[in-house]
Amino acid sequence: MNKNIVLIGFMGCGKSTIARKLAKIFKRQLVDTDILIEERMQMSIKDIFATYGEEYFRKLECELKDELSLKNNLIISCGGGFANLENIKTMGFVVYIYLPFFIIKKRVKNNGKRPLFDDKAKKLYNKRLALYEKNADIKIDNSKLKFKEFAKICEFFLNLNLHNTKISIDLLKNK
Ligand code: S3P
C-alpha cells in the first residue's frame, strides 16, 4: 500500500504538469480534482461557478477530498482552493508547489477558464500562502528545482515515511 502523493498550490504553479509526470514515473493513477469534478458534473469549472456558485464548488471539493482519503497509490493534483479545506493530509503525502506570483501571472493566460484568476488574484495568492504552508508536508519551489530532483525528493520522503516533518526545499539548483 502506497500513500497518495497530493499536490497543492496556487493556480498556474504547475501542479497538473508535475502530477502527470509523477504518475508516469511512479506508475500510478493520476487524479486531477478539477477534471474529475468537471467530468462528474458534465460542466466546466467556469460554468459550475456561474450556475451554482463558489460555495457549491467547494462542497464538491470537500466531498472529493473525503472520497480520495479512502484511496491509496494515487497521484492527486488538487485545485488551488483545496488549501481551504480541513484535514487535507488525510489524502496522503502533501506537497506544496510554490511559485512566486510574478511567474504565475506570466504563465496563466486570462482565458476565463479560471473564474478566480482576476484582478484580485494577487490578494488571494497572498492570503493562500500561509494555508498552503500549513497544510503541506513539504514545500517545493518550482522555479528552482528540476523535475527529476523533485521526483527523487518525493520518493525519499515516501520511503522514509517522514510525513509531518516540515521541510522547505527551495534552495536547490537553478533550472
Ligand atoms: C481555484 C483553482 C482552480 C479551480 C477553480 C478554483 C482556486 O484550479 O479549482 O477555478 O480557488 O484557487 P487550478 O489551481 O488547477 O487552476
Side-chain angles (χ1 to χ4, degrees):
M1 187 195 83
N2 290 308
K3 259 192 169 231
N4 299 326
I5 299 178
V6 182
L7 305 186
I8 62 167
F10 202 69
M11 296 173 258
C13 68
K15 289 165 292 185
S16 303
T17 310
I18 293 174
R20 257 197 314 276
K21 289 188 191 176
L22 285 177
K24 208 168 161 193
I25 64 157
F26 286 127
K27 297 189 175 49
R28 292 202 195 187
Q29 191 190 332
L30 170 68
V31 174
D32 185 310
T33 61
D34 283 344
I35 293 176
L36 193 55
I37 288 174
E38 287 184 330
E39 281 172 2
R40 288 180 176 178
M41 292 294 290
Q42 293 283 299
M43 273 174 127
S44 67
I45 300 287
K46 184 183 160 214
D47 287 345
I48 298 171
F49 267 71
T51 312
Y52 299 107
E54 181 175 347
E55 208 175 306
Y56 182 75
F57 177 72
R58 299 302 176 202
K59 191 173 144 274
L60 297 177
E61 285 190 319
C62 194
E63 286 167 4
L64 192 51
K65 181 205 76 182
D66 293 341
E67 183 185 328
L68 295 172
S69 297
L70 302 174
K71 304 199 173 188
N72 295 298
N73 259 319
L74 302 172
I75 305 291
I76 305 172
S77 172
C78 295
F82 259 71
N84 282 321
L85 306 177
E86 297 285 318
N87 305 324
I88 60 170
K89 281 188 190 163
T90 56
M91 282 197 294
F93 178 64
V94 182
V95 183
Y96 166 29
I97 311 288
Y98 167 83
L99 262 191
F101 188 75
F102 76 94
I103 301 183
I104 287 188
K105 209 173 157 202
K106 279 190 216 153
R107 287 163 55 115
V108 176
K109 291 178 200 80
N110 225 345
N111 56 12
K113 281 192 184 163
R114 289 179 164 111
L116 296 184
F117 203 91
D118 54 18
D119 50 0
K120 290 191 229 83
K122 175 82 168 68
K123 210 169 155 200
L124 183 62
Y125 174 90
N126 287 336
K127 205 170 126 195
R128 290 259 180 89
L129 285 180
L131 285 175
Y132 294 131
E133 299 239 355
K134 182 178 132 217
N135 284 306
D137 290 303
I138 60 168
K139 170 184 172 184
I140 289 187
D141 186 334
N142 192 20
S143 70
K144 298 207 171 112
L145 207 65
K146 286 182 182 153
F147 175 73
K148 275 189 185 156
E149 294 160 335
F150 170 72
K152 273 190 203 143
I153 289 163
C154 285
E155 200 172 24
F156 175 76
F157 282 104
L158 284 167
N159 287 339
L160 289 182
N161 233 348
L162 283 177
H163 312 295
N164 297 319
T165 309
K166 276 274 171 214
I167 297 200
S168 171
I169 298 154
D170 48 15
L171 289 171
L172 300 181
K173 289 180 202 160
N174 284 324
K175 272 192 164 175

